[in-house]
Amino acid sequence: MTTAALAPQTLTKRVSPGVAARNIATLAWRNLVQIKHNPMELLDLSIQPIMFVLLFAYVFGPAMEGSVERYLPIVIPGIIAQNALFAGMTTGFGLNTDITKGVFDRFRSLPISRIAPLVGRIIADTTKQAWSMAILLTVGFLIGFRLGTNVLALLTAFALLLAFAVMFSWTSVYIAMKVSEPEKVQIFGFTTIFPLSFMSTAFIRSTEGIPGPLAWVMDNSPVTHLVEAMRGLLVGGPVMNHALWALAWGALITAIFAPLSLRAFRSRA
C-alpha cells in the first residue's frame, strides 16, 4: 500500500486526550523556540510597547493631565489592554503564515491531534503576551508609574488580561483561516483594533464632555470594561463589574468566532 493511500487513514485516526495534550505542548514549544531563529519577533513584542508608553506618556501626558506622573495611572492600563489586542493579531498572522507556507500540510500528514497546531499557536502567543505586559509594566515603573494595590491584584490583572486576549484572539484565528495572505490579517487588525482602542477610555479618564451617542458606545465598549478593570486592579477603583462585563464580552466573541474558526480549520484539513 502506498504512502498516499495511508495518509487519509493517518489523518482520520483519533488520538487520546493525553497524546493530544502532548501534541499541543510540543507545538506550543515549537512556536516559542522560533523566537531564537527570528529575534525580530521578540523585538516587536518589546519595542512597540516601549514606544507606545513613552510617546503617550511624554507627548499626551502634559496636555491631558498636566504632567506625566498624573497621566501614567490612566494610560498604562490602557496601553496594556491595547497591546494585548494587537498581540492577539499575531496569532492569526502566525497561523496564516504556517498555512500559506505549507507547514499545516506537513502537520496534517503526521499522526497527531488535528487541533494541536491551532491550540499550540494560541498558547504560545498567550505566553508572548505575558512577556509584553511585563515589559510595559517595567517601563511604566521606570518612568514613574506606581502600583496602587498589591501583588495579588497585579497577578489577577495578568490573569484577566490573558483570559480576554485568548478569547479575543479567536477573531484573528477566523480571519487567518479565511484570507490568503498574512498581510490581510494585519490589515484587519489595524482597521479593527485602532477604532476599538480609541473609542474607549483607554487613553482618557472618562467620557465626560463627549457627545451622548458616542459616549454611550465608549462606556459600553469591551475595551473600556477591560481597561477600567485593569485600572482598578493596578491603581485602585471598581473592578468586579467591569471584569465581569469584559469576560462576558470575551465569552460572546468566543461563542461566535471559535465555532466559525474550527469549522474553517476542519474544512482546510
Side-chain angles (χ1 to χ4, degrees):
M1 187 175 291
T2 64
T3 302
L6 283 171
Q9 296 180 7
T10 301
L11 185 62
T12 57
K13 180 182 178 181
R14 293 183 180 275
V15 299
S16 68
V19 172
R22 287 196 297 272
N23 296 157
I24 290 170
T26 298
L27 292 176
W29 180 248
R30 167 226 175 221
N31 290 317
L32 290 173
V33 169
Q34 282 183 335
I35 295 176
K36 182 173 67 174
H37 305 290
N38 182 22
M40 286 302 298
E41 185 175 350
L42 189 60
L43 288 176
D44 287 342
L45 291 169
S46 304
I47 293 177
Q48 180 175 303
I50 294 173
M51 180 183 68
F52 268 96
V53 169
L54 296 179
L55 284 176
F56 273 90
Y58 288 101
V59 174
F60 294 108
M64 298 284 288
E65 292 292 327
S67 69
V68 173
E69 291 73 18
R70 292 179 59 186
Y71 190 50
L72 286 176
I74 297 172
V75 76
I76 293 295
I79 293 179
I80 288 173
Q82 183 198 52
N83 190 71
L85 300 185
F86 274 116
M89 289 298 107
T90 64
T91 300
F93 184 88
L95 280 173
N96 191 268
T97 299
D98 283 347
I99 290 169
T100 54
K101 288 186 175 181
V103 176
F104 263 51
D105 291 333
R106 292 194 288 274
F107 287 150
R108 285 164 54 189
S109 67
L110 300 174
I112 63 174
S113 169
R114 295 172 70 181
I115 203 68
L118 180 60
V119 179
R121 167 67 66 174
I122 292 173
I123 291 174
D125 288 338
T126 301
T127 304
K128 296 173 187 176
Q129 289 179 28
W131 163 265
S132 188
M133 181 179 176
I135 290 290
L136 279 168
L137 282 174
T138 300
V139 174
F141 288 140
L142 289 175
I143 63 175
F145 177 75
R146 293 295 178 264
L147 190 67
T149 52
N150 53 52
V151 175
L152 179 59
L154 175 62
L155 295 177
T156 304
F158 263 92
L160 174 64
L161 183 79
L162 295 180
F164 185 88
V166 168
M167 292 186 283
F168 185 80
S169 68
W170 283 109
T171 59
S172 70
V173 170
Y174 177 67
I175 297 300
M177 294 295 167
K178 304 301 289 187
V179 300
S180 58
E181 299 173 355
E183 289 74 18
K184 293 180 180 179
V185 180
Q186 286 186 318
I187 293 172
F188 166 78
F190 279 107
T191 56
T192 303
I193 294 173
F194 267 117
L196 277 174
S197 300
F198 286 98
M199 290 182 65
S200 72
T201 58
F203 308 111
I204 58 176
R205 185 179 295 275
S206 71
T207 57
E208 184 179 354
I210 295 175
L214 180 58
W216 184 89
V217 171
M218 294 173 67
D219 286 334
N220 293 279
S221 164
V223 179
T224 290
H225 288 300
L226 178 62
V227 168
E228 294 300 330
M230 293 290 293
R231 283 182 184 147
L233 289 166
L234 295 177
V235 181
V239 174
M240 184 61 69
N241 185 58
H242 290 298
L244 291 176
W245 270 110
L247 292 174
W249 271 108
L252 177 62
I253 291 169
T254 301
I256 294 171
F257 286 98
L260 292 174
S261 300
L262 292 174
R263 185 183 304 172
F265 179 73
R266 292 190 185 100
S267 67
R268 283 184 173 272

